[in-house]
C-alpha cells in the first residue's frame, strides 16, 4: 500500500512510513471524561473516513491532475524536439477514454498547424507535445481542466471529460530558423563554385520533413536547370546552392517561409511544410563565360600554330563537368577531321582549336552558349550543358602548304644532285606526325628505287627527293594534298600529314622527258656512217644496238634509266625505222633534237 497525497497529516501509519501527525494527539488529563470520550470518538471517525478515502483511491484512480504522455514510438535519431514557440504540423485522432473517436485530422484531410505555447491548441496538448520529434507517435491523455473544462465543445465533447489524443508529428520549425545545410561530399579539386546569376544543373530528391517524397529529378531522368539568385527557385535553394562545386552533394532542410510558404504547392506539398532536398550539382556556368583553355602538353619546338582555314585532325574525349564521358574519337577508332574557323564545328571548339601546335594536348571547357545551347544534342547531351573536350592534335595543314624539307646531313663534296628523270635509290621511314610508323624501307632487302618524275610515288615525296646528294639525309613533311589526299590509302588515314626520314643511297642521271637516249658529248658529225658499221647504206637492229651500247660504255651517251637496255634500244630503233622494214636508211635517221626543232617550227607556222 502507498500513501495517497490527499491524506496530509494524520495518526494513520502507512506501512512504509513512521510519520504521525502531532495535531491529532490529545492527553486524557487535560480534558474531562466527556470531552475525552468525545475526542476519541471523533478520532475514530476521522480515521475511518481517512481509511475509506485511502481504500477508494487505491481501487479507483478517479480524475487525473495532469496530462499523461505515452511515447509509444520514438524515431532514431531525433535531431530536434518541439519547444515552446515552435510551429508544428501533426496528424491526430481524438478519442474519449472508452476509445470512441470524436475528432480526427485524417478525416479532415489536413494536418493541424499551430504554434506551441501560444494557445493555438488546448492546453493539455500544448503541454504534451513538448519534446516531441518528427515522426514520433504519442498518446496524450488530458484531464478536463486542461481541455474544455466544464464547458462542452461542439456538441461532441461533454463537460468535464478526459480526452485522449493520438499524435504523429509531421513537421517542426521556428521563425528564427535558417536553411540547414549539411555537406555530404565535395570534390577535391574545386576551381569554381556557384555565385549569384550563375546557371546550374542539378539532380535532387525532395521530401517533406517526415520523409514523404514529393519530387525527384532522377525519376524524370532530367536535371533541374535554373539561374541562381534571380527568384526562379525557392529562397532556400537560392541560398543553399551558393558556394557549391560541381560534383558536390548537399543536404538541405528548408523551413516553410523559405520554401513554399502558407499555400504549399499543388497536392504534394501542404501549407506550412518544411522541405528536404538532397542535391548533386552536375553543372555550372555563367551566361557571360567564354571558353576556358587548359594546356596539358605543349610540344617544343612548335614551328607553327594553327589558324583559321587550316584543316585539322585530332583525337578527343568529350565529357560533362561531372566527368561523365559522352563521346570519344578513340572509341570510333579515327580522328575527327575538319576545317578550323569556318563554322564546321560548334563555336567553342572552332575557337579553341586556333593557335594549337601539332602534338599538343589541351582541355577546352565550353559553356552551353558556345556548344549545343539550351536544346542540347540528341539523347546524350542535355540542354544547357557545359562540355569538356580533351584534345590531342595529330596534325593540321593548309591547302597552300608546300612540302617542308629539313636537311639533317649533307656531304660537303656534293657536285651532283637528283632531279626529274633521274633514277635513284633511297632509304625511308614514313610515319604520322604523332609518331605512328606506317612504312619503312628497312622491311625490305634493298633500298627503294624510283625514277623521279615518273609518277610512281606521291607528288610530295617525289618533290622531296629532288636536289639531293648521295648520302644526304632529310626530314620531310608532306601535306595530304601532295600525299594521299582526303581518302588516304591503306593504313594511311585520310587527310594525314606524312613525315618522311629520307637518305639518298644512289643516283643514276636520267634523260629528259620524251627521250630514250641523250648524248653526253657531241654526237658524231657523220652519225649514219658511224651507225653503218659494214657500210652497206642500211643499219639493222644489231648494228644499231652495238653502236648505242658502245657509246654508253664509253660514257659518251646515256640510256633512259630504270628500264631494260635492250628494250630501250629497240624502242629507239623503232622510232628511226620509219617505214618499219627492219632497216634504217640515211633518209630515215634523224636526231630527236632535230625532230623537236622541226616540230616547233611547224607549230610556229
Amino acid at each position: 500500500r502507498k500513501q495517497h497525497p490527499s491524506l496530509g497529516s494524520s495518526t494513520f501509519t502507512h506501512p512504509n512510513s513512521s510519520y504521525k501527525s502531532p495535531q491529532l494527539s490529545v492527553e486524557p488529563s487535560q480534558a474531562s471524561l466527556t470531552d475525552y470520550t468525545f475526542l476519541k470518538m471523533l478520532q475514530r471517525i476521522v480515521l475511518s473516513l481517512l481509511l475509506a478515502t485511502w481504500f477508494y483511491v487505491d481501487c479507483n484512480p478517479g480524475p487525473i491532475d495532469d496530462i499523461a504522455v505515452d511515447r509509444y514510438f520514438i524515431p532514431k535519431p531525433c535531431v530536434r524536439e518541439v519547444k515552446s514557440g515552435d510551429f508544428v504540423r501533426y496528424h491526430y485522432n481524438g478519442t474519449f477514454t472508452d476509445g470512441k473517436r470524436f475528432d480526427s485530422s485524417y478525416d479532415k484531410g489536413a494536418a493541424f498547424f499551430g504554434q506551441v505555447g501560444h494557445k493555438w491548441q488546448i492546453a493539455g496538448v500544448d503541454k504534451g507535445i513538448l519534446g516531441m520529434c518528427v515522426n514520433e507517435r504519442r498518446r496524450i491523455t488530458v484531464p478536463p481542466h486542461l481541455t474544455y473544462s466544464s464547458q462542452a465543445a461542439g456538441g461532441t465533447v461533454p463537460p468535464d471529460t478526459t480526452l485522449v489524443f493520438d499524435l504523429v508529428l509531421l513537421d517542426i520549425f521556428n521563425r528564427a530558423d535558417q536553411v540547414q545545410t549539411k555537406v555530404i561530399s565535395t570534390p577535391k579539386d574545386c576551381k569554381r563554385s556557384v555565385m549569384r546569376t550563375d546557371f546550374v544543373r542539378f539532380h535532387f530528391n525532395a521530401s517533406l520533413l517526415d520523409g514523404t517524397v514529393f519530387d525527384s529529378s532522377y525519376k524524370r531522368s532530367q536535371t533541374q536547370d535554373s539561374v541562381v539568385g534571380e527568384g526562379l527557385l525557392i529562397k532556400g535553394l537560392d541560398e543553399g546552392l551558393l558556394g557549391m562545386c560541381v560534383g558536390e552533394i548537399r543536404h538541405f532542410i528548408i523551413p516553410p517561409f523559405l520554401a513554399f510558404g502558407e499555400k504549399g504547392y499543388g497536392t504534394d506539398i501542404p501549407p506550412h511544410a518544411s522541405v528536404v532536398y538532397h542535391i548533386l550539382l552536375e553543372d555550372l556556368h555563367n551566361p557571360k563565360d567564354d571558353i576556358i583553355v587548359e594546356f596539358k602538353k605543349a610540344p617544343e619546338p612548335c614551328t607553327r600554330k594553327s589558324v583559321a582555314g587550316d584543316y585539322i585532325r585530332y583525337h578527343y574525349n568529350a565529357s560533362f563537368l561531372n566527368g561523365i564521358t559522352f563521346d570519344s574519337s578513340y572509341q570510333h577508332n579515327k580522328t575527327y577531321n575538319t576545317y578550323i574557323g569556318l563554322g564546321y564545328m560548334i563555336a567553342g571548339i572552332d575557337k579553341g582549336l586556333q593557335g594549337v601546335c601539332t602534338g599538343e594536348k589541351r582541355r577546352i571547357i565550353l559553356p552551353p552558349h558556345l556548344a549545343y545551347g539550351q536544346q542540347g544534342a540528341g539523347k546524350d547531351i542535355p540542354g544547357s550543358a557545359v562540355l569538356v573536350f580533351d584534345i590531342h592534335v595529330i596534325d593540321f595543314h593548309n591547302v597552300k602548304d608546300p612540302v617542308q624539307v629539313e636537311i639533317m646531313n649533307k656531304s660537303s663534296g656534293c657536285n651532283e644532285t637528283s632531279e626529274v628523270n633521274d633514277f635513284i635509290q633511297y632509304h625511308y621511314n614514313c610515319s604520322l606526325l604523332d609518331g605512328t610508323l606506317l612504312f619503312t624501307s628497312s622491311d625490305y632487302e634493298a633500298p627503294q628505287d624510283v625514277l623521279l618524275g615518273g609518277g610512281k610515288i606521291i607528288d610530295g615525296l617525289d618533290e622531296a627527293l629532288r636536289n639531293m646528294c648521295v648520302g644526304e639525309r632529310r626530314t620531310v613533311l608532306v601535306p595530304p594534298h601532295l600525299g594521299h589526299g582526303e581518302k588516304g590509302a591503306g593504313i594511311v588515314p585520310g587527310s594525314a600529314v606524312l613525315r618522311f626520314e629520307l637518305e639518298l643511297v644512289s643516283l643514276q642521271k636520267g634523260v629528259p622527258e620524251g627521250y630514250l637516249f641523250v648524248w653526253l658529248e657531241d654526237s658524231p658529225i657523220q652519225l649514219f656512217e658511224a651507225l653503218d658499221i659494214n657500210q652497206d647504206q642500211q643499219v639493222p637492229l644489231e648494228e644499231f644496238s652495238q653502236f648505242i651500247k658502245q657509246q654508253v660504255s664509253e660514257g659518251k651517251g646515256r640510256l633512259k634509266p630504270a628500264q631494260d637496255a635492250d628494250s630501250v634500244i629497240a624502242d629507239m630503233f623503232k622510232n628511226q625505222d620509219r617505214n618499219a622494214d627492219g632497216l634504217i636508211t640515211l633518209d630515215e635517221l634523224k636526231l630527236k633534237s632535230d625532230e623537236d626543232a622541226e616540230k616547233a617550227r611547224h607549230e610556229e607556222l
Side-chain angles (χ1 to χ4, degrees), residues 168-230:
V168 54
L169 186 63
L170 304 177
D171 204 335
I172 173 176
F173 70 92
N174 195 287
R175 288 295 183 187
D177 287 349
Q178 301 295 322
V179 176
Q180 298 179 47
T181 302
K182 181 180 180 181
V183 178
I184 306 301
S185 66
T186 188
K188 294 181 180 179
D189 184 18
C190 178
K191 297 180 179 178
R192 178 176 181 178
S193 58
V194 177
M195 301 176 65
R196 295 189 186 279
T197 74
D198 280 345
F199 191 96
V200 295
R201 295 193 310 113
F202 59 90
H203 269 302
F204 70 91
N205 286 317
S207 64
L208 303 178
L209 202 57
D210 65 352
T212 302
V213 175
F214 63 82
D215 198 5
S216 173
S217 64
Y218 296 98
K219 291 182 179 179
R220 297 194 298 271
S221 298
Q222 182 178 1
T223 57
Q224 181 73 29
D225 306 342
S226 181
V227 176
V228 177
E230 297 292 316

Side-chain angles (χ1 to χ4, degrees), residues 38 44 73 126 129 202 213 236 289 323 331 415 485 532 580 583:
F38 173 77
R44 290 190 184 99
F73 175 76
D126 212 31
I129 202 171
F202 59 90
V213 175
D289 286 349
Q331 293 177 351
N415 54 18
D532 186 12
L583 297 170

Side-chain angles (χ1 to χ4, degrees), residues 97-152:
T97 53
D98 61 2
K100 182 179 179 181
R101 189 166 66 187
F102 64 87
D103 193 12
S104 173
S105 62
Y106 298 98
D107 294 341
K108 298 174 182 177
F112 174 82
F113 170 75
Q115 188 175 18
V116 179
H118 286 258
K119 299 182 180 180
W120 288 45
Q121 52 195 341
I122 61 175
V125 175
D126 212 31
K127 183 178 181 181
I129 202 171
L130 293 173
M132 199 169 181
C133 308
V134 172
N135 284 328
E136 181 180 339
R137 294 179 179 273
R138 287 187 176 187
R139 188 173 292 108
I140 306 173
T141 303
V142 185
H145 65 280
L146 294 177
T147 58
Y148 305 104
S149 191
S150 59
Q151 299 178 358

Side-chain angles (χ1 to χ4, degrees), residues 476-533:
V476 178
L477 297 183
V478 178
H481 53 274
L482 296 175
H484 292 284
E486 294 183 0
K487 294 184 178 180
I491 62 172
V492 180
S495 301
V497 178
L498 300 179
R499 183 176 187 269
F500 285 91
E501 296 171 333
L502 302 174
E503 180 182 2
L504 187 61
V505 176
S506 67
L507 166 64
Q508 296 181 38
K509 298 301 293 182
V511 297
E513 185 176 356
Y515 283 71
L516 298 174
F517 175 87
V518 293
W519 290 97
L520 301 180
E521 297 180 359
D522 291 338
S523 63
I525 297 176
Q526 299 298 327
L527 180 58
F528 183 80
E529 286 76 2
L531 284 167
D532 186 12
I533 297 174

